[in-house]
Amino acid sequence: MNPFVHKTVVVELQAGGSERFPVLAHLSYDPADPFAVTAVFSHDGRVLARWQLDREMVADGLRGPVGIGDVRLSPEVRGAGRELRMEFLGEPRPDGGRHHAVVFAWAETVGEFLDETRRLVAPGSEDVGIDDFLADVLAGR
């Protein structure tokens, strides 16, 4: 059994008031970090951004708006389909604003990816390893 889940999907990126254009999103899940989903966005072989997202926040974003910080997720209807709208706020710009991008992914595809992660680690059964973490912190590692 493969202990990781990986899915590459075509999503649409909208940045700086531009029209949407297709990019790849490489979604991955590692049970060693059971609460996180990693999303790497690329275009023409170049990585545009890498974000670590909370797995349950992504699931919640398929049902309703979530997030008040740098990441905001919400469902949207587009034609006959449903999308997950992912809004990302990045580093400050020289003009005082912040870099801003919106990514749209088909909700069904994201839901299928999350289902695969849940087959590996069911919600509520995540092993946090807090004792090992605290021991490392207290030992100065």
Side-chain angles (χ1 to χ4, degrees), residues 34-119:
F35 295 104
V37 168
T38 301
V40 177
F41 301 100
S42 67
H43 183 66
D44 285 338
R46 197 175 103 235
V47 172
L48 303 173
R50 181 182 190 278
W51 287 84
Q52 265 201 291
L53 308 170
D54 178 270
R55 177 172 71 157
E56 287 312 303
M57 182 180 175
V58 175
D60 291 345
L62 291 170
R63 295 185 293 275
V66 295
I68 57 173
D70 294 343
V71 178
R72 299 171 190 158
L73 309 174
S74 61
E76 288 199 359
V77 175
R78 183 173 185 203
R82 290 181 351 155
E83 294 179 319
L84 174 63
R85 181 182 195 273
M86 299 176 276
E87 183 177 1
F88 300 100
L89 296 171
E91 298 296 319
R93 293 189 318 243
D95 66 5
R98 292 179 71 187
H99 291 281
H100 177 253
V102 180
V103 175
F104 298 89
W106 290 114
E108 183 176 347
T109 303
V110 174
E112 290 168 357
F113 170 79
L114 292 174
D115 288 344
E116 289 181 49
T117 73
R118 291 182 189 118
R119 282 193 280 279

Side-chain angles (χ1 to χ4, degrees), residues 2 5 13 19 31 35 40 49 51 63 101-102 117 122 127 130 137 140:
N2 185 355
V5 177
L13 171 66
E19 294 294 317
F35 295 104
V40 177
W51 287 84
R63 295 185 293 275
V102 180
T117 73
D127 180 17
I130 192 74
V137 169

